[in-house]
Amino acid sequence: EDQVTQSPEALRLQEGESSSLNCSYTVSGLRGLFWYRQDPGKGPEFLFTLYSAGEEKEKERLKATLTKKESFLHITAPKPEDSATYLCAVQNLFQGAQKLVFGQGTRLTINP
Amino acid sequence: NAGVTQTPKFRILKIGQSMTLQCTQDMNHNYMYWYRQDPGMGLKLIYYSVGAGITDKGEVPNGYNVSRSTTEDFPLRLELAAPSQTSVYFCASSYSLGSGYEQYFGPGTRLTVT
């Protein structure tokens, strides 16, 4: 059974204080690992897809990396507007319909 | 493009009532999905569809039904609502030829069953 575990559950940082969020996964074959951002009361917003170990993707202050067992979302010099819940999900290569299995999310708060 | 739209945004149901959550996408995506999200939990897949006329169960299908008569629409039906169905429901869609595998989500429907 595919599983995704995110840590920490919640993280509070000061503006400008860099940190990383972790996503550990087990899957029989990885088609892709996805990062989403979710603001309160809204649907998840797609950020990145990573397909193979060693791959990195960047967007503004966010950088996502992937190994064979986990992914990290690095946040550099965050701003208050980066406050959100960040969700990680995996897609199994051997399952049809591109279904996603989600972690429970990390709630990130950036204090000014 | 409006993307994925959902109606209603909020709804309160009494135990035993029924309702349909509407979902429409205008991206010509083949695949569509329904998830529920409970507080502090990840999204759980209820049902999905790989194209018009084809649907299948996800992880938590009990108490729900779906249909897909067109590429654009994927309504979710709740029959005999129960308090355990209090949740936020998200519709998503993915994949058209030449695109990636990411799913795009609607804004959600917050449902309370009392």
Side-chain angles (χ1 to χ4, degrees), chain A residues 21-34:
Chain A
L21 313 183
N22 177 265
C23 171
S24 296
Y25 66 91
T26 56
V27 64
S28 54
L30 183 70
R31 168 179 276 138
L33 185 139
F34 301 81

Side-chain angles (χ1 to χ4, degrees), chain A residues 70-104:
Chain A
E70 55 192 354
S71 176
F72 292 94
L73 185 65
H74 306 278
I75 302 176
T76 302
K79 299 181 178 182
E81 54 262 41
D82 294 321
S83 297
T85 295
Y86 290 86
L87 300 169
C88 171
V90 296
Q91 212 171 73
N92 190 312
L93 182 63
F94 304 117
Q95 286 196 4
Q98 302 171 2
K99 291 181 282 185
L100 290 176
V101 174
F102 280 87
Q104 80 280 17

Side-chain angles (χ1 to χ4, degrees), chain A residues 36 38 43 46 91 97-98 103, chain B residues 33 37 42 48 90 94 101 103:
Chain A
Y36 285 84
Q38 186 175 25
F46 171 71
Q91 212 171 73
Q98 302 171 2
Chain B
Y33 313 84
Q37 185 177 38
Y48 65 95
F90 290 102
S94 71
Y101 300 108
Q103 294 182 13

